[in-house]
Amino acid sequence: MEQHAHHAHEPHGHGRAGWATAARATLHCLTGCAVGEVLGMVIGTALGWGNVPTMVLAIALAFLFGYAFTLRGILAAGVGLRTAVRVALAADTLSITVMELIDNGVIALWPGAMDAHLSDPKFWAVLGIALAAAFVITVPVNKWLIGRGKGHAVVHRYH
């Protein structure tokens, strides 16, 4: 019991990280990524771009929105912009990278997904599956990071 009490009061998320905490951190990160990802795909498709430039835009916007969602909370806590940017980069880079590798990998490898248009149910179904897979695979990554005082544990120091 003493060890459990120590972890419960250990500052800044060091020690054992719970699955619920990791899932919340992953969902927060995934929300920003999904907004950027979908926006990039919509823009690229609407402009008639090919698969590669559309995917590059979607990935860039996924990182941008993922970081922006984290920055918003840190800046609201009164942290200066330079520090907030450093914290967001430290907190989200690995998580977003894993998510983007998984969700874009699923889309790229799914037969016909890269050629599906926004009006095609396959586009939305595969995107949903890809984002769900990214969430499931990234939760353990975030659990590991938070348990070591990294990832979203860094963000929580500023709340």
Side-chain angles (χ1 to χ4, degrees), residues 44-91:
T45 301
L47 295 175
W49 291 0
N51 290 336
V52 172
T54 298
M55 190 173 272
V56 168
L57 177 63
I59 292 168
L61 289 176
F63 273 91
L64 179 71
F65 278 86
Y67 289 136
F69 278 35
T70 297
L71 271 173
R72 184 182 58 124
I74 299 168
L75 290 171
V79 176
L81 181 61
R82 174 175 272 168
T83 299
V85 168
R86 281 194 216 129
V87 169
L89 291 172

Side-chain angles (χ1 to χ4, degrees), residues 124-141:
W124 298 103
V126 174
L127 180 60
I129 292 166
L131 292 172
F135 175 81
V136 168
I137 292 169
T138 307
V139 168
V141 172

Side-chain angles (χ1 to χ4, degrees), residues 101-115:
L101 286 170
I102 300 304
D103 77 28
N104 284 287
V106 169
I107 292 167
L109 295 174
W110 197 287
M114 291 296 290
D115 298 319

